[in-house]
Amino acid sequence: MNENSGNVLRIALTKGRLEKDTVSLFESLGFDVSSVKDKGRRLILPIKDQNMEVVLAKAADVITYVEHGVCDLGVVGKDTIMEHGGKYFELLDLGFGKCKFALAGKKGENFYKGYGVKTVASKYTNVTRSFFEGKGMDVDIVKIEGSVELAPLVGLSDGIVDIVETGTTLKENGLEVYEDVAPVSARLIANTVSTKLKKERIDNLIGLIENKLGEK
Ligand code: PRP
């Protein structure tokens, strides 16, 4: 089923901070984002002057909606893209939502010491797997759903692979970054068919965004 066959450009935003940053970006482009700012509990919001529609979803769901073509575009973090994979185009680095994936653990300890297989806890098991595969290193990966910093503190793991933004969470829990894994920022993604059927509109939006980002 595809309820997105009209001329409206439908864009899925990751709820929360990326949503706010994207709305600010659209506002700086002169778009009428009043419906998104005053959304209440509504999940589909029109940007009428641009014949656009904003859909609000959780990060991984943004990718699902774009992959299925029910949204033409999506704004999602590179962290989710790296973990989720999938078939869509990554069009633009939006420059906000900056943070990084890092391998971290208890302060002062050497993660690579000794020959035993290390245990690594993460919410991002695919990112963790490919990071250690890249090193040719065998590790046991334990999936944790949140507050991953707890795992090395209670002795579940030797380290974690997680998002580090300010570093405060690590610091306040006696942990430190051992190694950077990958930089993360918000990306504009597109459904592969939409980039053909709505090429002009998407190219136009990209041009506006690139100009605006270039001003900074
Ligand atoms: C993320 C991440 C770290 C924290 C890093 O967690 O998993 O815990 O932010 O930020 P900092 O370096 O600025 O301290 P989030 O708040 O998304 O919640 P979660 O632990 O449930 O994933």
Side-chain angles (χ1 to χ4, degrees), residues 133-206:
E133 270 173 13
K135 290 175 171 293
M137 186 174 164
D138 192 21
V139 294
D140 286 334
I141 299 169
V142 182
K143 168 100 193 233
I144 294 289
E145 294 296 339
S147 301
V148 182
E149 293 84 358
L150 199 52
L153 294 176
V154 296
L156 178 66
S157 73
D158 300 295
I160 59 173
V161 167
D162 197 22
I163 299 285
V164 178
E165 191 182 351
T166 60
T168 309
T169 311
L170 291 180
K171 200 166 170 218
E172 291 194 0
N173 289 290
L175 304 171
E176 66 179 355
V177 170
Y178 295 151
E179 206 173 324
D180 288 355
V181 173
V184 168
S185 59
R187 306 296 160 103
L188 181 70
I189 61 168
N191 174 263
T192 52
V193 176
S194 296
T195 55
K196 295 183 182 74
L197 295 183
K198 298 184 182 177
K199 184 178 182 344
E200 207 180 314
R201 296 205 56 198
I202 291 174
D203 285 351
N204 189 34
L205 180 64
I206 289 176

Coordinates of all heavy atoms in Angstrom, one line a residue, residues 133-206:
E133 N 35.0 -6.6 13.7 CA 35.4 -7.4 12.5 C 36.5 -6.7 11.7 O 37.4 -7.3 11.2 CB 34.1 -7.6 11.6 CG 33.4 -8.9 11.9 CD 32.1 -9.1 11.2 OE1 31.8 -8.3 10.2 OE2 31.3 -9.9 11.6
G134 N 36.4 -5.4 11.6 CA 37.4 -4.6 10.9 C 38.7 -4.7 11.5 O 39.7 -4.5 10.9
K135 N 38.8 -5.0 12.8 CA 40.0 -5.2 13.5 C 40.5 -6.7 13.5 O 41.5 -7.0 14.0 CB 39.9 -4.8 15.0 CG 39.7 -3.4 15.2 CD 39.5 -3.1 16.7 CE 39.5 -1.7 17.1 NZ 40.8 -1.1 16.9
G136 N 39.6 -7.6 13.0 CA 39.9 -9.0 13.0 C 39.9 -9.5 14.4 O 40.6 -10.5 14.7
M137 N 39.1 -8.9 15.2 CA 39.1 -9.3 16.7 C 37.7 -10.0 17.1 O 36.7 -9.4 16.8 CB 39.3 -8.0 17.5 CG 39.5 -8.3 19.0 SD 39.9 -6.7 19.8 CE 39.5 -7.1 21.5
D138 N 37.8 -11.1 17.7 CA 36.6 -11.8 18.1 C 36.2 -11.3 19.5 O 36.9 -11.2 20.4 CB 37.0 -13.3 18.2 CG 35.8 -14.2 18.4 OD1 34.7 -13.7 18.0 OD2 36.0 -15.3 18.9
V139 N 34.9 -10.8 19.6 CA 34.4 -10.4 20.9 C 33.0 -11.0 21.1 O 32.3 -11.3 20.1 CB 34.3 -8.8 20.9 CG1 35.6 -8.1 20.9 CG2 33.4 -8.3 19.8
D140 N 32.6 -11.1 22.3 CA 31.2 -11.4 22.7 C 30.4 -10.1 22.8 O 30.8 -9.2 23.5 CB 31.2 -12.2 24.0 CG 31.7 -13.6 23.8 OD1 31.6 -14.2 22.7 OD2 32.2 -14.2 24.8
I141 N 29.3 -10.1 22.1 CA 28.5 -8.8 22.1 C 27.2 -9.1 22.9 O 26.5 -10.1 22.6 CB 28.2 -8.3 20.7 CG1 29.5 -8.0 20.0 CG2 27.3 -7.1 20.7 CD1 29.4 -7.8 18.5
V142 N 26.9 -8.2 23.9 CA 25.7 -8.4 24.6 C 24.8 -7.2 24.3 O 25.2 -6.0 24.4 CB 26.0 -8.4 26.2 CG1 24.7 -8.6 27.0 CG2 26.9 -9.5 26.5
K143 N 23.6 -7.5 23.9 CA 22.6 -6.4 23.6 C 22.0 -5.8 24.8 O 21.4 -6.5 25.6 CB 21.5 -6.9 22.6 CG 20.4 -6.0 22.4 CD 20.5 -5.3 21.1 CE 19.5 -4.1 21.0 NZ 18.6 -4.1 19.9
I144 N 22.1 -4.5 24.9 CA 21.5 -3.7 26.1 C 20.7 -2.6 25.5 O 21.0 -2.0 24.5 CB 22.7 -3.1 26.9 CG1 23.5 -4.2 27.6 CG2 22.1 -2.1 28.0 CD1 22.8 -4.9 28.7
E145 N 19.5 -2.4 26.1 CA 18.5 -1.5 25.4 C 18.7 0.0 25.8 O 18.2 0.9 25.1 CB 17.1 -1.9 25.8 CG 16.7 -3.2 25.2 CD 16.6 -3.2 23.7 OE1 16.5 -2.1 23.1 OE2 16.7 -4.3 23.1
G146 N 19.4 0.3 26.9 CA 19.6 1.7 27.3 C 20.5 1.8 28.5 O 20.7 0.8 29.2
S147 N 21.0 3.0 28.8 CA 21.9 3.2 29.9 C 23.0 2.1 29.9 O 23.3 1.5 30.9 CB 21.2 3.2 31.2 OG 20.2 4.2 31.3
V148 N 23.6 2.0 28.7 CA 24.6 0.9 28.5 C 25.8 1.1 29.4 O 26.5 0.1 29.7 CB 25.1 1.0 27.0 CG1 26.1 -0.1 26.6 CG2 23.9 0.8 26.1
E149 N 26.0 2.3 29.8 CA 27.2 2.6 30.7 C 27.2 1.7 32.0 O 28.2 1.5 32.6 CB 27.1 4.1 31.1 CG 27.4 5.1 30.0 CD 26.2 5.4 29.2 OE1 25.1 4.9 29.5 OE2 26.3 6.2 28.2
L150 N 26.0 1.2 32.3 CA 25.9 0.4 33.5 C 26.7 -0.9 33.4 O 27.2 -1.5 34.3 CB 24.4 0.1 33.7 CG 23.9 -0.4 35.1 CD1 24.4 0.5 36.2 CD2 22.4 -0.5 35.0
A151 N 26.7 -1.4 32.1 CA 27.3 -2.8 31.9 C 28.7 -3.0 32.4 O 28.9 -4.0 33.2 CB 27.1 -3.2 30.4
P152 N 29.7 -2.1 32.1 CA 31.0 -2.4 32.6 C 31.1 -2.1 34.1 O 31.9 -2.7 34.9 CB 31.9 -1.4 31.9 CG 31.0 -0.4 31.3 CD 29.6 -1.0 31.1
L153 N 30.2 -1.2 34.6 CA 30.2 -0.8 36.0 C 29.8 -2.0 36.9 O 30.4 -2.2 38.0 CB 29.3 0.4 36.3 CG 29.7 1.7 35.7 CD1 28.7 2.8 35.9 CD2 31.1 2.1 36.2
V154 N 28.9 -2.8 36.5 CA 28.4 -3.9 37.3 C 29.1 -5.2 36.9 O 28.8 -6.3 37.4 CB 26.9 -4.1 37.2 CG1 26.1 -2.9 37.8 CG2 26.4 -4.3 35.7
G155 N 30.1 -5.1 35.9 CA 30.9 -6.3 35.6 C 30.3 -7.2 34.5 O 30.7 -8.3 34.3
L156 N 29.3 -6.7 33.8 CA 28.7 -7.5 32.7 C 29.6 -7.5 31.5 O 29.7 -8.5 30.7 CB 27.3 -6.9 32.3 CG 26.6 -7.7 31.1 CD1 26.3 -9.1 31.5 CD2 25.4 -6.9 30.7
S157 N 30.4 -6.4 31.3 CA 31.2 -6.3 30.1 C 32.5 -5.6 30.3 O 32.7 -4.9 31.3 CB 30.5 -5.6 28.9 OG 30.4 -4.2 29.2
D158 N 33.5 -5.8 29.4 CA 34.8 -5.2 29.5 C 34.7 -3.8 28.9 O 35.5 -2.9 29.2 CB 35.8 -6.0 28.7 CG 36.0 -7.4 29.2 OD1 36.4 -7.5 30.4 OD2 35.6 -8.3 28.5
G159 N 33.7 -3.6 28.0 CA 33.6 -2.2 27.4 C 32.2 -2.1 26.8 O 31.4 -3.0 26.9
I160 N 32.0 -0.9 26.3 CA 30.7 -0.6 25.6 C 31.0 0.1 24.3 O 32.0 0.7 24.1 CB 29.8 0.3 26.4 CG1 30.4 1.7 26.7 CG2 29.3 -0.4 27.7 CD1 29.5 2.7 27.4
V161 N 30.1 -0.1 23.3 CA 30.1 0.8 22.1 C 28.8 1.6 22.2 O 27.7 1.0 22.2 CB 30.2 0.0 20.8 CG1 29.9 0.9 19.6 CG2 31.6 -0.6 20.7
D162 N 29.0 2.9 22.3 CA 27.8 3.7 22.5 C 28.0 5.1 21.9 O 29.1 5.5 21.5 CB 27.5 3.8 24.0 CG 26.0 4.3 24.3 OD1 25.2 4.1 23.4 OD2 25.8 4.8 25.4
I163 N 26.9 5.9 21.9 CA 26.9 7.3 21.5 C 27.6 8.1 22.6 O 27.2 8.0 23.8 CB 25.5 7.8 21.3 CG1 24.8 7.0 20.2 CG2 25.5 9.3 21.0 CD1 25.2 7.3 18.9
V164 N 28.5 9.0 22.2 CA 29.1 9.9 23.2 C 28.8 11.3 22.6 O 29.2 11.5 21.4 CB 30.6 9.7 23.4 CG1 31.2 10.8 24.3 CG2 30.9 8.3 24.0
E165 N 28.2 12.2 23.4 CA 28.0 13.5 22.8 C 28.8 14.5 23.6 O 29.9 14.9 23.1 CB 26.5 13.9 22.9 CG 26.1 15.1 22.2 CD 24.7 15.5 22.3 OE1 23.9 14.7 22.9 OE2 24.4 16.6 21.8
T166 N 28.5 14.8 24.8 CA 29.3 15.7 25.6 C 30.4 15.0 26.4 O 31.3 15.6 26.9 CB 28.4 16.5 26.6 OG1 27.8 15.6 27.5 CG2 27.3 17.3 25.9
G167 N 30.1 13.7 26.6 CA 31.1 12.9 27.4 C 30.7 12.9 28.9 O 31.3 12.2 29.7
T168 N 29.6 13.6 29.3 CA 29.2 13.8 30.7 C 28.8 12.4 31.3 O 29.2 12.1 32.4 CB 28.1 14.8 30.8 OG1 28.4 16.0 30.1 CG2 27.8 15.1 32.2
T169 N 28.1 11.6 30.5 CA 27.6 10.4 31.1 C 28.7 9.5 31.5 O 28.8 8.8 32.5 CB 26.6 9.7 30.1 OG1 25.7 10.6 29.7 CG2 25.9 8.5 30.8
L170 N 29.7 9.4 30.6 CA 30.9 8.6 30.8 C 31.6 9.1 32.1 O 31.9 8.4 33.0 CB 31.9 8.6 29.6 CG 31.4 7.9 28.3 CD1 32.5 8.0 27.3 CD2 31.1 6.4 28.6
K171 N 31.9 10.4 32.1 CA 32.7 11.0 33.1 C 32.0 10.8 34.5 O 32.7 10.4 35.5 CB 32.8 12.5 32.8 CG 33.9 13.2 33.5 CD 34.3 14.6 33.0 CE 35.2 15.3 33.9 NZ 35.0 16.7 34.1
E172 N 30.7 11.0 34.6 CA 30.0 10.9 35.9 C 30.0 9.5 36.4 O 29.5 9.3 37.5 CB 28.6 11.6 35.8 CG 28.7 13.1 35.6 CD 27.4 13.8 35.8 OE1 26.4 13.1 36.1 OE2 27.4 15.0 35.7
N173 N 30.3 8.6 35.5 CA 30.2 7.1 35.9 C 31.6 6.5 35.9 O 31.7 5.3 35.9 CB 29.3 6.4 35.0 CG 27.9 6.8 35.3 OD1 27.3 6.5 36.3 ND2 27.3 7.5 34.3
G174 N 32.7 7.3 35.9 CA 34.0 6.8 36.0 C 34.5 6.0 34.8 O 35.3 5.1 34.9
L175 N 33.9 6.4 33.7 CA 34.3 5.7 32.4 C 35.0 6.7 31.5 O 35.0 7.9 31.7 CB 33.0 5.2 31.7 CG 32.1 4.2 32.5 CD1 30.8 4.0 31.8 CD2 32.8 2.9 32.8
E176 N 35.7 6.1 30.5 CA 36.4 7.0 29.5 C 36.3 6.4 28.1 O 36.2 5.1 28.0 CB 37.8 7.3 29.9 CG 38.7 6.0 29.8 CD 40.1 6.3 30.2 OE1 40.5 7.5 30.5 OE2 40.9 5.3 30.3
V177 N 36.5 7.2 27.1 CA 36.6 6.7 25.7 C 37.9 6.0 25.5 O 39.0 6.6 25.9 CB 36.5 7.9 24.7 CG1 36.8 7.4 23.3 CG2 35.0 8.4 24.7
Y178 N 37.9 4.8 25.0 CA 39.2 4.1 24.7 C 39.5 4.4 23.2 O 40.7 4.5 22.9 CB 39.0 2.6 24.8 CG 38.8 2.1 26.2 CD1 38.1 0.9 26.5 CD2 39.3 2.7 27.3 CE1 37.9 0.4 27.7 CE2 39.1 2.3 28.6 CZ 38.4 1.1 28.8 OH 38.2 0.6 30.1
E179 N 38.5 4.5 22.4 CA 38.7 4.6 20.9 C 37.5 5.2 20.3 O 36.4 4.7 20.6 CB 39.1 3.2 20.4 CG 39.9 3.2 19.2 CD 40.3 1.8 18.8 OE1 40.5 1.0 19.7 OE2 40.3 1.5 17.6
D180 N 37.7 6.1 19.3 CA 36.5 6.5 18.5 C 36.2 5.5 17.5 O 37.1 4.8 16.9 CB 36.9 7.8 17.8 CG 36.9 9.0 18.7 OD1 36.6 8.8 19.9 OD2 37.3 10.1 18.3
V181 N 34.9 5.3 17.3 CA 34.4 4.3 16.3 C 34.0 4.9 15.0 O 34.4 4.6 13.9 CB 33.3 3.4 16.9 CG1 32.7 2.5 15.8 CG2 33.8 2.6 18.1
A182 N 33.2 6.0 15.1 CA 32.7 6.7 13.9 C 32.0 8.0 14.3 O 31.3 8.0 15.3 CB 31.7 5.8 13.1
P183 N 32.1 9.0 13.5 CA 31.4 10.2 13.7 C 29.9 10.1 13.3 O 29.6 9.3 12.4 CB 32.1 11.3 12.8 CG 32.7 10.5 11.7 CD 33.0 9.1 12.3
V184 N 29.1 10.8 14.0 CA 27.6 10.7 13.8 C 27.0 12.1 13.6 O 27.5 13.0 14.3 CB 26.9 10.0 15.0 CG1 25.4 10.1 14.9 CG2 27.3 8.5 15.1
S185 N 26.1 12.3 12.7 CA 25.3 13.5 12.5 C 24.0 13.2 11.8 O 23.9 12.1 11.3 CB 26.1 14.6 11.8 OG 26.5 14.1 10.5
A186 N 23.1 14.2 11.7 CA 21.8 13.9 11.1 C 22.0 13.9 9.6 O 22.8 14.6 9.0 CB 20.9 15.0 11.4
R187 N 21.3 13.0 8.9 CA 21.4 12.8 7.5 C 20.0 12.9 6.8 O 19.0 12.5 7.4 CB 22.0 11.5 7.1 CG 23.3 11.1 7.7 CD 24.3 12.1 7.2 NE 25.5 12.2 8.1 CZ 26.7 11.6 7.9 NH1 26.8 10.9 6.8 NH2 27.6 11.7 8.7
L188 N 20.0 13.5 5.6 CA 18.7 13.5 4.8 C 18.7 12.2 4.0 O 19.7 12.1 3.2 CB 18.6 14.7 4.0 CG 17.4 14.9 3.1 CD1 16.2 15.2 4.0 CD2 17.5 16.0 2.1
I189 N 17.7 11.4 4.1 CA 17.7 10.2 3.3 C 16.4 10.2 2.4 O 15.5 11.0 2.6 CB 17.6 8.9 4.1 CG1 16.4 8.8 5.0 CG2 18.9 8.7 5.0 CD1 16.1 7.5 5.7
A190 N 16.5 9.5 1.3 CA 15.4 9.5 0.3 C 15.0 8.1 -0.2 O 15.9 7.2 -0.3 CB 15.8 10.4 -0.9
N191 N 13.7 7.9 -0.4 CA 13.3 6.7 -1.1 C 13.8 6.7 -2.5 O 13.9 7.7 -3.2 CB 11.7 6.7 -1.1 CG 11.2 5.6 -1.9 OD1 10.8 5.7 -3.1 ND2 11.1 4.4 -1.3
T192 N 14.3 5.5 -3.0 CA 15.0 5.5 -4.3 C 14.0 5.8 -5.4 O 14.5 6.5 -6.4 CB 15.5 4.0 -4.5 OG1 14.5 3.1 -4.3 CG2 16.6 3.7 -3.5
V193 N 12.8 5.5 -5.3 CA 11.8 5.8 -6.4 C 11.5 7.3 -6.4 O 11.4 7.9 -7.4 CB 10.5 4.9 -6.3 CG1 9.5 5.3 -7.4 CG2 10.9 3.4 -6.5
S194 N 11.3 7.8 -5.2 CA 10.9 9.3 -5.0 C 12.0 10.1 -5.7 O 11.7 11.2 -6.2 CB 10.8 9.6 -3.6 OG 9.7 8.9 -3.0
T195 N 13.3 9.7 -5.6 CA 14.3 10.6 -6.2 C 14.2 10.7 -7.7 O 14.7 11.6 -8.3 CB 15.7 10.0 -5.9 OG1 15.8 8.7 -6.3 CG2 16.1 10.1 -4.4
K196 N 13.4 9.7 -8.3 CA 13.1 9.8 -9.7 C 11.8 10.6 -10.0 O 11.7 11.5 -10.7 CB 13.1 8.4 -10.3 CG 14.5 7.8 -10.3 CD 14.5 6.4 -10.9 CE 15.8 5.7 -10.8 NZ 16.0 5.2 -9.4
L197 N 10.7 10.1 -9.3 CA 9.4 10.6 -9.5 C 9.3 12.1 -9.1 O 8.5 12.9 -9.6 CB 8.3 9.8 -8.8 CG 8.2 8.3 -9.3 CD1 7.0 7.6 -8.6 CD2 7.9 8.3 -10.8
K198 N 10.0 12.4 -8.0 CA 9.9 13.8 -7.5 C 11.2 14.5 -7.5 O 11.6 15.3 -6.6 CB 9.3 13.7 -6.0 CG 7.9 13.1 -6.0 CD 7.3 13.1 -4.6 CE 5.9 12.5 -4.6 NZ 5.3 12.4 -3.3
K199 N 12.0 14.2 -8.5 CA 13.4 14.7 -8.6 C 13.5 16.2 -8.5 O 14.3 16.7 -7.7 CB 14.0 14.2 -10.0 CG 15.4 14.6 -10.2 CD 16.0 14.0 -11.5 CE 17.4 14.3 -11.7 NZ 18.1 15.3 -10.9
E200 N 12.6 16.9 -9.2 CA 12.8 18.3 -9.3 C 12.5 18.9 -7.9 O 13.3 19.8 -7.4 CB 11.8 18.9 -10.3 CG 12.2 20.2 -10.9 CD 11.2 20.8 -11.8 OE1 10.7 20.0 -12.7 OE2 10.8 21.9 -11.8
R201 N 11.5 18.4 -7.2 CA 11.2 19.0 -5.9 C 12.2 18.7 -4.9 O 12.6 19.5 -4.0 CB 9.8 18.4 -5.4 CG 8.7 18.8 -6.3 CD 7.4 18.8 -5.6 NE 7.4 19.6 -4.4 CZ 6.6 19.5 -3.4 NH1 5.6 18.6 -3.4 NH2 6.7 20.3 -2.3
I202 N 12.8 17.4 -5.0 CA 13.8 17.0 -4.0 C 15.1 17.8 -4.3 O 15.7 18.3 -3.4 CB 14.0 15.5 -4.1 CG1 12.8 14.8 -3.5 CG2 15.3 15.1 -3.3 CD1 12.8 13.3 -3.6
D203 N 15.5 17.9 -5.6 CA 16.7 18.7 -5.9 C 16.6 20.1 -5.5 O 17.5 20.7 -4.9 CB 16.9 18.6 -7.4 CG 17.4 17.3 -7.9 OD1 17.8 16.5 -7.1 OD2 17.5 17.1 -9.2
N204 N 15.4 20.7 -5.6 CA 15.1 22.0 -5.2 C 15.3 22.2 -3.7 O 16.0 23.1 -3.2 CB 13.7 22.4 -5.6 CG 13.4 23.9 -5.4 OD1 14.3 24.7 -5.6 ND2 12.2 24.2 -5.0
L205 N 14.8 21.2 -2.9 CA 14.9 21.3 -1.5 C 16.4 21.2 -1.1 O 16.9 21.9 -0.2 CB 14.0 20.2 -0.8 CG 14.1 20.2 0.7 CD1 13.5 21.4 1.3 CD2 13.3 18.9 1.3
I206 N 17.1 20.2 -1.7 CA 18.5 20.0 -1.4 C 19.3 21.3 -1.7 O 20.1 21.7 -0.9 CB 19.0 18.8 -2.2 CG1 18.5 17.5 -1.6 CG2 20.6 18.8 -2.1 CD1 18.9 16.3 -2.4

